[in-house]
Amino acid sequence: MKKPNLYTCLSPALLDLYDVNNSVVVVIDILRATSTIATVLYNGAKAVIPVESVEKCIRLGKNMECITAGERDGKVAEGLQYGNSSFEYPRDFIAGKILVLTTTNGTKLLHMALTKGATEIITGCFLNLSAVCGHLINMKSNVILACAGWKDKVNIEDSLFAGAVVAKVKTHFEVKCDASHIAACLYRQAKGDLYEFLKANDASHYHRLTGFGLEKDIRHCLTEDIANVLPYYVDERLIVGK
Amino acid sequence: MKKPNLYTCLSPALLDLYDVNNSVVVVIDILRATSTIATVLYNGAKAVIPVESVEKCIRLGKNMECITAGERDGKVAEGLQYGNSSFEYPRDFIAGKILVLTTTNGTKLLHMALTKGATEIITGCFLNLSAVCGHLINMKSNVILACAGWKDKVNIEDSLFAGAVVAKVKTHFEVKCDASHIAACLYRQAKGDLYEFLKANDASHYHRLTGFGLEKDIRHCLTEDIANVLPYYVDERLIVGK
């Protein structure tokens, strides 16, 4: 039997090159949207509603009595209640609640995948690496690992995660995709210590976040399987999936 | 003194994200356009005129009494005289002549850089790696290493060459660019044997060209400094530069 195809799309600006409407799309925004999403759902939130703008976040928060969250330039955005750090969402705070989260790169990419008719959209990060990989293997569908990057530029940490997935699932897929091999190569070189790799390569996002004093957040976002749920997009929200 | 910036653009579809009109652009199309260009100029051709279509290639060939060359699907395109292999252009054949070369990815990218007002356009490949690096260091300008890829998809061999340049010139530049670090990381892992790296990672272009029996061509295109001239774009043609 022919194996399904796996592709890695290193930037949202390249998504048009892939056959989205015939694929499961894994949205990847390691620092920090998809890491926050995994944490919040793992800690018992009912759902996360990803929105692009602060305005929409405020509006939904009022209408639905949700918690609103999002940052701009490393600070909680004006009008919102919480930020993008996983540490703000312990179980005893977030369990049973709905979080409306505004992020820029990750949310935009998720909505692009939706518009282009993705078969299914899930979000991935190191915190739920095994859940994502297990699901992809079970689905036996074509897969696009879609990196959010930074304002359409390729970034190291999203590429690294794509590489981690490729390394774990490649025997189940046809991987005729140079970007996937590049990502896997990057991960091979980095996996001994992902944090040190970002630091040694002066990853732009590492640089930006450490400038805000967020080393601990970065380390958290690079830890495998500590919030091992599958965020699954349905009815405009992410919930814990199958 | 502030160092100039160096960026790597992994796909033509991402070129808009970079400040092209303030930069030297290095067009990279390892298999095989920029490798053929370096070889032909090294072997004494007066100029290479890169054009996008077979039709324009034929027209210019008639008007200017040039040699016409280009392939489609691994064969000499109908109406043209020669192909994309460096081995077709020994010195005793090509010296003193003008070659009109039609390629798809590389030529398109060169014209994009031109339209966006690049300060200067040169072409790079492993065959002229040192000439390119020496020039970039001397210029003290901002640099964009622009990979042609394959139909806008990122490819391994162009990324590898960008990584080789980054490795050689990085101390002379500010490299705040994740794509450059990814490319350099890839090159670090591959440099012991570039050919085996392409093979082991099932590079799509390696696959395509070996399907046409072109292993020898690939090996040639991965050999450093054997056609060490600087192809420089001026007046719609590439000539040996400063």
Side-chain angles (χ1 to χ4, degrees):
Chain A
M1 206 181 75
K2 203 180 164 303
K3 294 175 182 175
N5 296 307
L6 182 143
Y7 295 97
T8 298
C9 174
L10 294 172
S11 155
L14 302 177
L15 193 62
D16 272 340
L17 305 173
Y18 299 89
D19 190 13
V20 176
N21 71 2
N22 190 26
S23 305
V24 173
V25 174
V26 184
V27 173
I28 302 165
D29 188 359
I30 299 302
L31 295 175
R32 293 169 290 160
T34 57
S35 301
T36 306
I37 289 164
T39 302
V40 163
L41 290 176
Y42 178 79
N43 283 343
K46 263 164 51 184
V48 177
I49 304 179
V51 298
E52 272 183 71
S53 71
V54 173
E55 295 65 36
K56 187 165 180 188
C57 196
I58 294 172
R59 198 168 67 240
L60 280 185
K62 278 183 186 151
N63 293 348
M64 303 177 61
E65 295 184 12
C66 306
I67 293 169
T68 58
E71 293 184 8
R72 294 295 183 266
D73 301 321
K75 290 181 186 155
V76 175
E78 212 183 314
L80 304 184
Q81 300 163 290
Y82 294 91
N84 266 352
S85 169
S86 291
F87 298 114
E88 297 181 76
Y89 306 101
R91 179 172 293 271
D92 58 7
F93 166 62
I94 200 67
K97 298 194 177 119
I98 293 174
L99 182 73
V100 189
L101 178 67
T102 174
T103 74
T104 41
N105 303 294
T107 307
K108 184 185 130 199
L109 177 57
L110 190 151
H111 289 148
M112 282 172 72
L114 196 67
T115 308
K116 291 176 196 299
T119 314
E120 180 183 292
I121 300 171
I122 61 177
T123 69
C125 63
F126 289 104
L127 314 186
N128 68 350
L129 173 62
S130 292
V132 168
C133 291
H135 180 70
L136 296 181
I137 291 168
N138 287 337
M139 283 290 287
K140 299 183 173 55
S141 301
N142 295 332
V143 169
I144 297 169
L145 305 175
C147 300
W150 179 256
K151 296 181 181 172
D152 283 343
K153 282 188 180 163
V154 174
N155 77 21
I156 295 182
E157 65 277 11
D158 295 348
S159 306
L160 268 181
F161 178 74
V165 175
V166 173
K168 283 189 190 292
V169 308
K170 66 182 174 187
T171 56
H172 300 267
F173 290 88
E174 192 80 54
V175 188
K176 295 210 168 303
C177 163
D178 281 20
S180 295
H181 294 300
I182 290 173
C185 168
L186 199 68
Y187 179 68
R188 269 201 303 279
Q189 207 160 122
K191 67 182 175 186
D193 190 335
L194 296 173
Y195 185 88
E196 281 305 316
F197 186 82
L198 289 192
K199 191 173 167 183
N201 286 285
D202 196 27
S204 53
H205 229 115
Y206 166 86
H207 204 76
R208 196 174 300 119
L209 293 177
T210 53
F212 302 138
L214 292 168
E215 292 84 351
K216 195 177 150 204
D217 258 61
I218 300 174
R219 287 191 188 277
H220 176 81
C221 293
L222 298 175
T223 313
E224 288 183 13
D225 290 343
I226 54 172
N228 204 21
V229 291
L230 186 78
Y232 176 91
Y233 191 76
V234 62
D235 294 337
E236 299 185 9
R237 60 191 59 201
L238 290 151
I239 56 172
V240 175
K242 319 160 202 176
Chain B
M1 206 183 76
K2 203 179 165 304
K3 293 175 183 175
N5 296 307
L6 181 143
Y7 295 98
T8 298
C9 175
L10 294 172
S11 155
L14 302 176
L15 193 62
D16 272 339
L17 305 173
Y18 299 88
D19 191 12
V20 176
N21 70 2
N22 190 25
S23 305
V24 173
V25 174
V26 184
V27 172
I28 302 164
D29 188 359
I30 299 301
L31 295 175
R32 293 170 289 161
T34 57
S35 300
T36 306
I37 290 164
T39 302
V40 163
L41 290 176
Y42 178 79
N43 282 343
K46 262 165 50 185
V48 177
I49 303 178
V51 298
E52 272 184 71
S53 70
V54 173
E55 295 65 34
K56 187 165 181 189
C57 197
I58 295 172
R59 199 169 65 242
L60 280 185
K62 279 183 187 154
N63 293 347
M64 303 175 61
E65 295 185 12
C66 307
I67 294 169
T68 59
E71 295 185 6
R72 293 297 182 264
D73 302 320
K75 290 181 187 157
V76 175
E78 211 182 315
L80 304 184
Q81 300 162 292
Y82 294 89
N84 266 350
S85 169
S86 291
F87 298 114
E88 296 181 77
Y89 305 101
R91 179 171 293 271
D92 59 7
F93 166 61
I94 200 66
K97 299 195 177 119
I98 293 174
L99 182 74
V100 189
L101 178 66
T102 174
T103 75
T104 43
N105 303 293
T107 306
K108 184 184 129 199
L109 177 57
L110 189 152
H111 289 147
M112 283 172 71
L114 195 68
T115 307
K116 292 176 196 299
T119 314
E120 179 182 291
I121 299 171
I122 61 178
T123 68
C125 62
F126 288 103
L127 314 187
N128 67 350
L129 174 61
S130 292
V132 168
C133 292
H135 180 71
L136 296 180
I137 291 168
N138 287 338
M139 283 290 287
K140 298 183 172 56
S141 302
N142 296 331
V143 169
I144 298 170
L145 304 175
C147 300
W150 179 256
K151 296 180 181 173
D152 282 343
K153 283 190 179 162
V154 174
N155 77 21
I156 294 181
E157 66 277 11
D158 295 347
S159 306
L160 268 181
F161 177 74
V165 175
V166 173
K168 284 189 190 292
V169 307
K170 65 182 176 189
T171 56
H172 300 269
F173 290 88
E174 193 79 56
V175 188
K176 295 210 169 302
C177 164
D178 281 20
S180 295
H181 295 299
I182 290 172
C185 168
L186 199 69
Y187 180 67
R188 269 201 303 280
Q189 207 161 121
K191 68 182 175 185
D193 190 334
L194 297 172
Y195 184 88
E196 280 306 315
F197 186 82
L198 289 192
K199 190 174 168 183
N201 286 285
D202 196 26
S204 53
H205 229 114
Y206 166 86
H207 205 77
R208 196 172 302 119
L209 292 179
T210 52
F212 301 138
L214 292 168
E215 292 84 353
K216 194 178 152 204
D217 258 61
I218 300 174
R219 287 191 188 278
H220 176 80
C221 292
L222 298 174
T223 312
E224 289 183 13
D225 290 342
I226 53 171
N228 204 20
V229 290
L230 186 76
Y232 177 90
Y233 192 76
V234 61
D235 295 338
E236 300 186 9
R237 60 190 60 201
L238 290 150
I239 57 170
V240 175
K242 319 159 202 177

